[in-house]
Amino acid sequence: MTFPRRATAVRRSVPAAALLLAAAGLLQATAAQAREFTGLVHARHDLILSVGVPGIVARVPVVVGQRVEARAPLLYLDERIQATEVQRRKVTLDDMSELRATEERVRTLAPLYEDTRKLLNARGAVSREEVARLELELVTARGRLAQLQAQKTRERMELTAAEQDRDQRRLTAPVAGVVTRVDTDVGEWAKPGDALIQLVDADTGYLKLNLPPAAALPLKRDAEVPVRFDATTGIAPIRAKVSYVAPVIDPASGLVEVRLAFANPKGAVPSGIKGIVDLPEGGR
């Protein structure tokens, strides 16, 4: 009588164990479907600017927090010597008196020589020496005109070089953005390599992630990925697009760099904040 009871107990315990195993497998599968990855938000441009030549700071027309457009002046070095040289080169280039006089001489001599040569061939009314003299004057005038034209070309190039030398003492914004740091003031000495002004363009940002290959490699360029932030920041979730997936795996970490770009008008998402994405790590 006891043997059937034991067999029944064994048969009833088998479905319970199977259910436990199935539930554990379901939990594992659910966890494998999506995993949370965290990265840092970066601005599109975060630039530390310096001058190209040494000099004394003459003027800083920007302040921290000011928004500037591309090519806007950020800093001027003392350029009085260079400005004088530019003016001198410009006066020299604008002096066209000798060139105009030589052009007029060529215009006068050319028909005179032709008429004299015709008279010599037709009636011999003029001497060959007179024709040769006019021809020589015309050749000389044309040669001098060519020299003056080449000289003006050189003067124009020298003026351009002087303007470039002057402009090297002006630090301008390479892109539009917000000035976030000014580390110099009027009267200070600045030299190449010194970090003088920081300019940040945060209108476009990107979330930089380092993902396992199983999560990174399936991502396609321009695919949309939802990004959320810590609830305590009060920043609303956004949708970003995959802009870059590194073609190589970092041998040190075994991870792949991925960047998710997004529009960030008025810098609503500050640089340096952590962004969170949920991505499948392997499989569908």
Side-chain angles (χ1 to χ4, degrees):
M1 295 296 293
T2 58
F3 293 111
R5 292 177 183 175
R6 290 175 182 173
T8 303
V10 171
R11 285 195 299 271
R12 289 178 180 177
S13 64
V14 171
L19 287 174
L20 289 174
L21 291 174
L26 180 61
L27 289 174
Q28 292 177 356
T30 303
Q33 286 179 359
R35 179 180 167 186
E36 189 178 274
F37 297 98
T38 303
L40 287 179
V41 172
H42 298 263
R44 180 184 181 185
H45 297 293
D46 189 349
L47 309 175
I48 304 296
L49 304 178
S50 178
V51 291
V53 296
I56 298 175
V57 177
R59 188 158 61 97
V60 183
V62 295
V63 295
V64 173
Q66 180 177 341
R67 182 171 185 83
V68 296
E69 299 299 325
R71 309 307 302 170
L74 304 177
L75 179 144
Y76 293 92
L77 296 180
D78 187 354
E79 59 180 39
R80 288 174 293 179
I81 295 176
Q82 290 71 29
T84 302
E85 180 64 14
V86 168
Q87 189 63 27
R88 187 183 73 83
R89 296 286 184 184
K90 191 174 186 305
V91 170
T92 303
L93 178 62
D94 291 342
D95 182 8
M96 307 290 287
S97 56
E98 186 177 4
L99 179 63
R100 297 289 181 259
T102 306
E103 289 175 343
E104 188 62 32
R105 180 175 176 78
V106 170
R107 282 195 295 268
T108 302
L109 285 174
L112 182 60
Y113 165 70
E114 290 296 330
D115 292 343
T116 304
R117 187 172 60 82
K118 290 177 182 178
L119 288 175
L120 175 64
N121 294 336
R123 298 186 295 273
V126 296
S127 64
R128 292 183 179 276
E129 289 77 6
E130 180 66 16
V131 175
R133 183 184 64 79
L134 288 173
E135 183 179 7
L136 181 60
E137 288 184 10
L138 179 59
V139 170
T140 302
R142 284 174 173 169
R144 181 56 181 165
L145 178 60
Q147 286 181 341
L148 291 172
Q149 290 171 339
Q151 179 178 324
K152 289 302 173 185
T153 300
R154 289 193 300 271
E155 290 173 355
R156 190 173 294 106
M157 295 174 64
E158 290 169 353
L159 174 60
T160 301
E163 290 174 340
Q164 291 174 347
D165 186 32
R166 178 202 61 194
D167 292 343
Q168 280 189 322
R169 287 159 174 80
R170 300 177 180 180
L171 181 60
T172 58
V175 297
V178 177
V179 177
T180 59
R181 196 174 78 192
V182 177
D183 287 342
T184 189
D185 205 346
V186 175
E188 294 184 345
W189 178 262
K191 63 181 184 294
D194 287 348
L196 301 178
I197 292 178
Q198 184 174 10
L199 182 67
V200 176
D201 174 18
D203 287 345
T204 301
Y206 66 90
L207 178 66
K208 182 178 178 181
L209 300 159
N210 291 299
L211 305 178
L217 298 181
L219 294 175
K220 301 300 181 183
R221 187 177 178 86
D222 293 332
E224 284 197 351
V225 178
V227 179
R228 55 190 171 85
F229 306 95
D230 192 290
T232 59
T233 63
I235 300 176
I238 60 173
R239 297 192 68 82
K241 288 187 177 182
V242 178
S243 62
Y244 173 73
V245 178
V248 295
I249 299 174
D250 181 34
S253 63
L255 301 177
V256 179
E257 181 181 336
V258 175
R259 296 187 180 188
L260 308 177
F262 58 91
N264 190 28
K266 299 182 180 180
V269 180
S271 301
I273 194 173
K274 291 182 179 180
I276 305 167
V277 297
D278 296 312
L279 295 173
E281 188 181 17
R284 290 179 175 270

